[in-house]
Amino acid sequence: VGQHLFRGATVWGLLTRCWFFVFLGRDNHIVSRLTRGTIEAQVANAIVQFQREQQGRGPSDVRVHLIGDLILVRCTGIFTLTETRLSISEEGRRLIKSARQELRAITRADQESLIAGIAGCKVIRSYGDVDVEAAEQMDVFVLATDLEKRLLRQDLHARSGLARKKSPPSAYPRR
């Protein structure tokens, strides 16, 4: 608690934004499991917080999609007031794109470790681009494992565990 993942965000700050399904396991201990929706929501919240720290404001809308071993992040309404004014001219648009690309190159490792922490697996690589005319940014994170399949297996395992209940002991011992 209190360890900084990136300037302004602490582990506690990110954990308080996490959503889990919680149920009691066989030994009455709490078992939590992530779902596709919770991962997407956590990534969206973390990206907004990260961009607020880096650019001074977050995007107006963030859409996150988990597809196999990819996490796609689409941010709209990303410009600061200064960038909005710069985007009027062609030279300003080139300057914005160049600055945003340079910032992404500098913060790439931080973003990848943030996503890896949420997804629970390593990020192999990531790609990003900015469309200055649309004031939109797209990031793609390639994961080491197919997270969608892992969540499906986890869900099937949880359901089969609930379906298999121990039968009460028989009055007649088995031979």
Side-chain angles (χ1 to χ4, degrees):
V1 177
Q3 291 180 332
H4 288 277
L5 295 177
F6 51 88
R7 208 170 83 225
T10 61
V11 173
W12 178 251
L14 291 174
L15 289 177
T16 57
R17 290 174 179 82
C18 296
W19 297 82
F20 295 97
F21 282 105
V22 178
F23 55 93
L24 292 179
R26 292 181 188 202
D27 302 334
N28 287 330
H29 65 282
I30 294 178
V31 177
S32 62
R33 65 184 179 92
L34 290 172
T35 65
R36 178 187 196 149
T38 59
I39 291 172
E40 290 172 347
Q42 288 177 38
V43 168
N45 289 335
I47 291 292
V48 167
Q49 186 170 349
F50 188 83
Q51 287 190 6
R52 279 185 185 152
E53 174 62 29
Q54 296 300 317
Q55 278 97 23
R57 72 179 297 270
S60 60
D61 186 40
V62 178
R63 302 291 168 119
V64 178
H65 302 280
L66 172 61
I67 303 168
D69 64 345
L70 302 175
I71 293 181
L72 305 171
V73 181
R74 179 179 171 217
C75 302
T76 57
I78 60 170
F79 287 165
T80 63
L81 184 57
T82 303
E83 288 173 325
T84 301
R85 289 185 181 148
L86 281 172
S87 69
I88 295 170
S89 71
E90 184 62 34
E91 183 61 29
R93 287 190 290 274
R94 276 196 297 269
L95 180 63
I96 293 168
K97 186 160 182 115
S98 174
R100 291 265 178 167
Q101 286 174 336
E102 184 64 26
L103 184 61
R104 184 170 194 310
I106 293 167
T107 61
R108 169 185 242 140
D110 293 335
Q111 286 184 358
E112 289 178 357
S113 66
L114 184 65
I115 299 301
I118 294 169
C121 64
K122 183 179 176 187
V123 174
I124 298 171
R125 63 188 157 273
S126 64
Y127 306 96
D129 195 22
V130 176
D131 184 339
V132 177
E133 292 173 7
E136 186 173 84
Q137 179 175 326
M138 190 76 138
D139 292 301
V140 179
F141 298 92
V142 181
L143 306 174
T145 60
D146 188 329
L147 195 55
E148 197 171 28
K149 281 185 182 176
R150 188 175 83 186
L151 292 172
L152 181 61
R153 280 194 306 267
Q154 173 185 312
D155 189 45
L156 290 173
H157 179 69
R159 288 178 190 229
S160 66
L162 294 175
R164 280 187 269 143
K165 293 182 180 176
K166 290 185 178 180
S167 56
S170 174
Y172 302 104
R174 290 186 179 189
R175 293 184 183 192

